[in-house]
Amino acid sequence: MNVEQAAKQLEALGNPTRLQVYRALVRAGHAGLPVRQLQERVGIAAASTLSHHLRRLILTGLVSQERQATTLICRAVYPAMDALVGFLADECCADAGCTTRNDAA
Amino acid sequence: MNVEQAAKQLEALGNPTRLQVYRALVRAGHAGLPVRQLQERVGIAAASTLSHHLRRLILTGLVSQERQATTLICRAVYPAMDALVGFLADECCADAGCTTRNDAA
DNA sequence: CACGTATTTCGAGGATCATCGAACGACGTC
DNA sequence: GACGTCGTTCGATGATCCTCGAAATACGTG
């Protein structure tokens, strides 16, 4: 995980709408969520807007899609989140002290 | 930590320049770093640009400043980072499985 | 108080983003 | 193959961002 990649993912999560989308997907677990339900759950007016946000999340590797018949199932990519959190935690505790990683170290 | 606040902090870290600034501060530890050194270390052409980025980091609570004579010492606010990482980790592992928090749970 | 260094604020430029409606493509059904 | 649903792509508009140079402010020194 380099700085550029991390920044892209952070930027992707740095929009309130996208963060809620991602949050909904994470909470949905491995089963994922179809785009339609995602739109209702987060409360996005236009489907095109959600599609736009989803594309960004997918391009950064935070979300994946799988076709199931007519609907597209969206899922959070947990390893990506894992790597991102790990990057932040490593930066945080590399030379300084915070509690995030101290209990693990 | 609500979604709005988290999104603001993620957005603040979602710019490559700002992420590098923050990274430099985190690595500098509790001693912090004066603005000038920060500019040189990250390699920002204009001081005004760095000032602009610093303001955003400060407004989101990720960075603090303290005046020492003529220089301003910048420091990473570790509890803020801690809370942000915690938010992400909680979201990630609330209902689903990833390894970030599993070793702690 | 004039001066120099450190840093911010101001103003402007080009670039990117967020959101929407409308049109289009993908897929199963009748 | 006509149709309905699901979702994306296109095009446009207003807002925000990033970057910079120039001017202004904060602070210690002589």
Side-chain angles (χ1 to χ4, degrees), chain B residues 38-68:
Chain B
L38 205 46
Q39 180 179 355
E40 292 171 2
R41 189 164 303 192
V42 178
I44 302 179
S48 58
T49 299
L50 174 57
S51 186
H52 163 69
H53 285 312
L54 276 175
R55 190 155 66 94
R56 295 194 57 145
L57 288 171
I58 291 167
L59 283 179
T60 56
L62 287 167
V63 166
S64 69
Q65 278 183 333
E66 181 199 353
R67 177 132 240 152
Q68 281 190 4

Side-chain angles (χ1 to χ4, degrees), chain A residues 23 26-27 82 91 99-100, chain B residues 23 26 82 91 99-100:
Chain A
R23 206 160 90 113
V26 166
R27 299 185 110 95
D82 213 12
E91 292 303 315
T99 62
T100 301
Chain B
R23 206 160 92 113
V26 165
D82 213 12
E91 293 303 316
T99 62
T100 302

Side-chain angles (χ1 to χ4, degrees), chain B:
Chain B
M1 173 79 73
N2 59 357
V3 175
E4 286 291 328
Q5 174 72 3
K8 270 183 186 150
Q9 293 189 343
L10 289 168
E11 186 193 20
L13 294 177
N15 174 278
T17 303
R18 275 197 300 270
L19 185 54
Q20 286 180 72
V21 166
Y22 187 74
R23 206 160 92 113
L25 288 180
V26 165
R27 298 187 110 96
H30 292 296
L33 227 50
V35 177
R36 200 64 153 60
Q37 281 190 41
L38 205 46
Q39 180 179 355
E40 292 171 2
R41 189 164 303 192
V42 178
I44 302 179
S48 58
T49 299
L50 174 57
S51 186
H52 163 69
H53 285 312
L54 276 175
R55 190 155 66 94
R56 295 194 57 145
L57 288 171
I58 291 167
L59 283 179
T60 56
L62 287 167
V63 166
S64 69
Q65 278 183 333
E66 181 199 353
R67 177 132 240 152
Q68 281 190 4
T70 57
T71 69
L72 269 175
I73 306 294
C74 307
R75 291 194 187 85
V77 177
Y78 297 110
M81 159 71 97
D82 213 12
L84 183 57
V85 171
F87 173 85
L88 289 178
D90 286 347
E91 293 303 316
C92 182
C93 302
D95 304 333
C98 75
T99 62
T100 302
R101 206 94 179 232
N102 283 350
D103 41 13

